[in-house]
Structure formats: structure tokens, C-alpha cells
Amino acid sequence: MLNPNLPEPNLLKTLLEPLLEDFQYWFARSRKLLENEEISF
């Protein structure tokens, strides 16, 4: 039996996929900057 309090799977997928794509983009960009830029402390 499905729990009526859980969101519909398609809605969840629609919301989470773009968030995951954004996270992957910004994480990769930050990693690239940290690996390629010299930071003087």
C-alpha cells in the first residue's frame, strides 16, 4: 500500500534531477578552480 504522504515519484524526479545537475556542475567547477588556481595564504 502506498503512503499518501509521500510525493508522487514523477514530481520528485522533476524536482530532484535539476538540483542534482546543478550540484554536479558547481562541484566540478569548484574542483577545477581549486586544482588549477594557486592560492597564496
Side-chain angles (χ1 to χ4, degrees):
M1 183 172 200
L2 293 174
N3 184 343
N5 295 327
L6 292 177
E8 185 178 334
N10 288 336
L11 176 63
L12 198 58
K13 184 177 181 180
T14 301
L15 292 173
L16 292 181
E17 276 188 356
L19 290 174
L20 178 58
E21 290 170 9
D22 283 349
F23 173 79
Q24 290 173 331
Y25 169 79
W26 288 109
F27 186 83
R29 186 167 189 250
S30 299
R31 183 176 175 185
K32 183 178 179 183
L33 285 171
L34 288 171
E35 290 175 344
N36 295 325
E37 298 295 323
E38 186 174 322
I39 303 172
S40 60
F41 291 98

